[in-house]
Amino acid sequence: MYYEDIEYQHPDYENNVDRWEFYLRSYMGGQDYRDGSYLTSYLNEDKNAYSRRLALTPLDNHCRNVVHVYSSFLWRVPPTRNYQQMEGSADLNAFLKDANLDGQSFNSFMREAQIWSSVYGHVWIMLDKPQSTAGTRAEELAQEIRPYVTLITPENVYDWKYERMPSGRHELTYMKVRESVNRIDGTTTETYFRIWTRETIQLVRYHGDEANVVETIDNPIGKVPAVHLPSNRSVVRGIGISDISDVAYMQQAIYQELSEIEQLIRISNHPTLVKTYDTDASAGAGAVINISDDMDGALKPYQMQPSGANLDAIRASITDKIDAINRMSHMGAVRGTEAITQSGVAMQTEFQMLNAKLSEKADILELAEEQLWQLWCTWQGHDLHEVEISYPDSFDIRDYESELNFLQKTRASGVKSVTLLREIDKQIADLVLDDQVLAQAHEEIETATTAVGDFAKETQIYKYHIDSGMVTPNEVREKIGLDEVAGGDVLVEPVQTVTDGG
């Protein structure tokens, strides 16, 4: 590898690094991230006053809430995996239990990767395996030599390159990752980069402006073992779109207005005293103002107290921005804390939009995990098609109270249909019971179903037809919604009345 390759930096990295930092600050919030990028300084506001206003302004973190709501729905039902021939193997169980060699399970790691991809727009997952001199798989396990995953955030991936293979598929063939930054003194740092290609793996150390190749080894699997996990796909390969790309800017505007509210309340409760320089005065209840005897009578101290009438207008503006965040993230019915006045059709449409977004994110996670398991099988020498992954395809986001009220009203409507009532009872059971007892409840509903309503006239007609041998008992039972009985398929012999003519 040439030195020019080490110095090369992907142009999309430089174009997006400021945006990634902004998304990170928006998600993290907190005092450590308030360096002035959120608030606009007032005219003639000094540095101390500005810092004090930053410290006093609260942050209503909608970015974090949106990201974690998505995550809670996506991981409410964990994915299912079929390992086939590898099921129960020692190396697989060790990887699933401790995927990153830091005690984190594989499901937990994938959920964390999904959260950070939502923040940044994408992350990279590196599946590496330590070098070993072991000759057998048992010796590797004894030395704890096995594949492990590492989460790499985009600001640490300085360069990457995809190439189209003869089959038409794009493959990652080059990747430059910053592994660590060590501070030597107040002005000098030592940075280590790992550079992956299909042929070699290089470790490069930058000491100030000087770059040295520390080591170069052969790539044992012939490919770059990294998987790109986007939150939402973009037109640039290797770059994703953050879930908070719009929410972060709206949160910034809310933060500005929360600062205005804090200032308005404080100034309204503490009016400003206007006086001459020589006037002796202090603020507070019962304060005494001493003015000189020779002062011009027109120059009297007075107070300036701003009106707090704008407070409701600012609060209404914040409410509108929160509603906009809910629309952008399709969470109006999920994040709402007040009574929802939407129509049933509007709520159902919003649920469907959120369900579609979650299904798309689940498909992206499933694809990324398939690529990870292919790399894992390559490292371990397994068949690449042994692992099958399935993430949920649908996320049932339902308003249970509204559905239950609808079903109860339908059941009380008086429709004389045993089939309708039986199916309504099943749907009610679906709402209130879990899967463990749901099948038993359905069976009990089927068994206990009886004809309902006033069938007095129909019963007499059915009895006449049965007694006349025109229909079988089971035909009548099917008509009124009852199950068949043994022997009910035989016609009844008509009863003949014999009269005594003597």
Side-chain angles (χ1 to χ4, degrees):
M1 180 173 296
Y2 297 103
Y3 180 77
E4 288 77 13
D5 294 329
I6 298 176
E7 287 295 307
Y8 179 74
Q9 182 168 295
H10 200 285
D12 289 309
Y13 174 87
E14 191 66 32
N15 296 337
N16 287 278
V17 64
D18 291 337
R19 186 175 302 174
W20 294 330
E21 183 179 359
F22 175 63
Y23 295 155
L24 176 63
R25 291 174 181 271
S26 300
Y27 172 78
M28 296 297 294
Q31 192 70 25
D32 294 339
Y33 292 88
R34 297 178 188 173
D35 62 349
S37 60
Y38 278 103
L39 287 182
T40 303
S41 177
Y42 293 148
L43 186 63
N44 297 328
E45 184 179 28
D46 60 32
K47 184 177 179 180
N48 292 333
Y50 181 68
S51 299
R52 184 171 183 274
R53 184 158 63 93
L54 284 174
L56 292 176
T57 302
L59 175 65
D60 189 6
N61 200 327
H62 296 276
C63 292
R64 182 187 293 268
N65 182 259
V66 167
V67 168
H68 284 271
V69 168
Y70 284 152
S71 179
S72 65
F73 279 112
L74 284 169
W75 294 93
R76 181 174 56 181
V77 178
T80 57
R81 304 179 181 93
N82 183 5
Y83 304 106
Q84 299 187 21
Q85 300 297 328
M86 296 189 301
E87 187 73 45
S89 61
D91 54 349
L92 176 64
N93 290 338
F95 177 75
L96 293 176
K97 184 178 180 180
D98 183 6
N100 60 352
L101 300 181
D102 198 22
Q104 191 174 22
S105 68
F106 184 68
N107 273 343
S108 176
F109 176 86
M110 290 301 298
R111 179 170 184 173
E112 182 181 357
Q114 177 268 315
I115 288 176
W116 287 114
S117 70
S118 293
V119 176
Y120 285 101
H122 73 273
V123 293
W124 297 85
I125 302 176
M126 182 72 71
L127 185 68
D128 196 6
K129 182 179 180 179
Q131 289 183 285
S132 173
T133 57
T136 63
R137 185 64 52 81
E139 292 178 357
E140 284 188 349
L141 292 176
Q143 300 174 12
E144 296 186 352
I145 303 298
R146 58 174 176 81
Y148 65 94
V149 286
T150 303
L151 181 65
I152 305 175
T153 52
E155 72 267 26
N156 292 312
V157 180
Y158 276 57
D159 189 20
W160 64 95
K161 182 181 180 182
Y162 282 91
E163 292 184 8
R164 186 180 289 274
M165 299 293 103
S167 63
R169 185 186 300 273
H170 283 87
E171 182 178 331
L172 183 65
T173 60
Y174 176 84
M175 192 172 182
K176 177 182 177 182
V177 181
R178 181 176 61 183
E179 288 195 345
S180 63
V181 179
N182 303 321
R183 180 164 295 280
I184 305 302
D185 52 41
T187 58
T188 308
T189 59
E190 188 178 65
T191 307
Y192 286 88
F193 286 88
R194 184 79 62 176
I195 299 177
W196 294 80
T197 67
R198 287 181 293 183
E199 296 80 17
T200 61
I201 307 171
Q202 279 192 335
L203 179 63
V204 181
R205 180 182 62 191
Y206 282 82
H207 185 79
D209 296 332
E210 181 183 356
N212 296 314
V213 178
V214 177
E215 66 174 359
T216 301
I217 61 175
D218 293 333
N219 190 337
I221 62 174
K223 60 177 64 177
V224 179
V227 174
H228 179 246
L229 175 60
S231 178
N232 301 279
R233 298 185 183 277
S234 72
V235 296
V236 180
R237 193 173 299 275
I239 297 290
I241 301 175
S242 172
D243 287 331
I244 58 174
S245 57
D246 299 320
V247 177
Y249 291 99
M250 195 64 71
Q251 177 172 296
Q252 182 182 24
I254 293 175
Y255 187 65
Q256 294 273 4
E257 294 181 354
L258 287 173
S259 177
E260 294 296 326
I261 287 179
E262 189 275 332
Q263 292 287 295
L264 184 59
I265 293 176
R266 187 157 52 89
I267 294 176
S268 298
N269 291 335
H270 302 280
T272 301
L273 178 64
V274 180
K275 67 181 186 63
T276 61
Y277 184 78
D278 295 331
T279 303
D280 184 13
S282 61
V288 177
I289 300 177
N290 298 317
I291 60 176
S292 59
D293 296 334
D294 57 351
M295 179 178 290
D296 187 353
L299 299 177
K300 294 182 179 179
Y302 61 92
Q303 287 184 335
M304 294 178 60
Q305 184 167 6
S307 172
N310 294 332
L311 182 60
D312 289 337
I314 299 177
R315 293 177 58 190
S317 177
I318 292 177
T319 301
D320 291 341
K321 289 180 174 60
I322 294 176
D323 292 340
I325 290 175
N326 293 336
R327 288 195 303 270
M328 290 185 291
S329 57
H330 309 304
M331 290 189 183
V334 176
R335 292 188 351 126
T337 56
E338 299 179 357
I340 299 175
T341 58
Q342 292 177 316
S343 66
V345 175
M347 290 181 60
Q348 184 178 8
T349 301
E350 191 164 17
F351 282 144
Q352 290 174 350
M353 293 174 65
L354 179 57
N355 185 39
K357 184 176 181 65
L358 292 171
S359 298
E360 181 182 358
K361 295 176 74 65
D363 291 339
I364 293 174
L365 281 168
E366 183 175 316
L367 176 60
E369 189 169 329
E370 287 176 354
Q371 296 172 354
L372 280 175
W373 283 111
Q374 288 181 359
L375 290 173
W376 194 90
C377 292
T378 301
W379 279 114
Q380 297 298 89
H382 291 293
D383 184 2
L384 296 181
H385 302 285
E386 286 188 2
V387 182
E388 298 177 357
I389 306 99
S390 177
Y391 277 73
D393 295 325
S394 178
F395 300 87
D396 191 11
I397 306 168
R398 307 166 66 179
D399 187 352
Y400 290 93
E401 183 177 359
S402 298
E403 289 191 38
L404 184 59
N405 290 335
F406 171 76
L407 293 173
Q408 289 175 338
K409 291 180 180 178
T410 305
R411 202 179 196 286
S413 62
V415 178
K416 293 185 174 72
S417 172
V418 176
T419 302
L420 174 64
L421 298 178
R422 182 194 301 121
E423 295 305 317
I424 289 177
D425 289 343
K426 289 181 180 179
Q427 291 190 34
I428 293 176
D430 292 341
L431 290 175
V432 299
L433 298 177
D434 55 26
D435 295 338
Q436 296 179 352
V437 295
L438 188 57
Q440 180 181 353
H442 281 196
E443 183 179 353
E444 292 172 351
I445 292 172
E446 289 281 354
T447 304
T449 300
T450 56
V452 294
D454 183 12
F455 293 113
K457 296 181 180 179
E458 289 84 349
T459 302
Q460 294 297 326
I461 296 173
Y462 292 151
K463 183 177 185 302
Y464 171 77
H465 288 163
I466 292 175
D467 292 342
S468 300
M470 300 174 62
V471 296
T472 64
N474 279 343
E475 289 175 336
V476 174
R477 293 178 67 86
E478 181 182 2
K479 184 71 175 177
I480 63 177
L482 298 178
D483 295 332
E484 295 181 356
V485 296
D489 294 324
V490 180
L491 292 173
V492 177
E493 292 291 337
V495 178
Q496 297 183 356
T497 304
V498 180
T499 59
D500 188 0

